Amino acid sequence: MDAPTIMRSLEDAGLRCTPQRFSVMSFLYEHHGHPTAAEIFEGVIALAGDAPRSSRATVYNNLRDLVQAGLVREVAVEGRSARFDVKGIQHHHFICDTCGVVEDLDFYAVPQPPSASLGKRVLYQVELIARGLCTDCATHQPHAQV
Ligand SMILES: [Zn+2]
Ligand SMILES: [Zn+2]
């Protein structure tokens, strides 16, 4: 993702383009494997090179700002660290119950909740989290194979 695009998306979301927010965004664009906050922190430190070291707290705060602004999605994984990806092309997720890997599934339309259960809520989109065994774990767990 090129720098002007990242800067524009930050501005469109009403966020000032600080070097650190920029680094978090470019790291997420480069790494599609749904990194944890700790991995993003390591990546931002690596990107910063010789620049003054960012504290873990500032990186986490910036990450939270990006999630609140709707630029970054937090994928909650029960009992494990949350993982993050940049909101671009809409997709579903597959979470492996054994190793915790979070993989993207191509988007397909899913049924909407009935309006009675939505009440006055305004629905924007429905995303699925599918759970099971990833390819690796399914291959190494003979009993789990269907
Ligand atoms: Zn797995
Ligand atoms: Zn994803």
Side-chain angles (χ1 to χ4, degrees), residues 96 99 134 137:
C96 177
C99 69
C134 70
C137 293

Side-chain angles (χ1 to χ4, degrees), residues 4-83:
T5 310
I6 294 179
M7 288 189 230
R8 203 172 332 111
S9 60
L10 284 167
E11 280 161 19
D12 288 350
L15 288 179
R16 212 155 43 84
C17 182
T18 64
Q20 204 173 73
R21 282 177 185 155
F22 184 86
S23 301
V24 171
M25 288 297 284
S26 46
F27 180 79
L28 282 168
Y29 272 120
E30 296 293 312
H31 296 82
H32 295 291
H34 305 89
T36 61
E39 287 163 352
I40 294 168
F41 172 71
E42 297 299 329
V44 167
I45 294 299
L47 282 175
D50 292 327
R53 297 209 137 203
S54 321
S55 81
R56 195 172 285 263
T58 13
V59 173
Y60 287 12
N61 287 341
N62 279 309
L63 186 57
R64 199 195 50 214
D65 292 343
L66 293 168
V67 170
Q68 278 173 358
L71 291 174
V72 170
R73 172 180 12 224
E74 180 174 351
V75 186
V77 186
E78 287 155 40
R80 298 179 195 258
S81 310
R83 291 168 172 276

Side-chain angles (χ1 to χ4, degrees), residues 34 73 75 85 91-93 104:
H34 305 89
R73 172 180 12 224
V75 186
D85 71 2
H91 57 270
H92 298 304
H93 286 106
D104 288 346

Side-chain angles (χ1 to χ4, degrees), residues 105-129:
L105 291 179
D106 288 344
F107 186 78
Y108 57 91
V110 287
Q112 309 281 302
S115 53
S117 71
L118 276 177
K120 290 194 160 53
R121 297 180 186 92
V122 177
L123 181 76
Y124 288 139
Q125 60 192 38
V126 181
E127 290 165 359
L128 285 183
I129 293 186

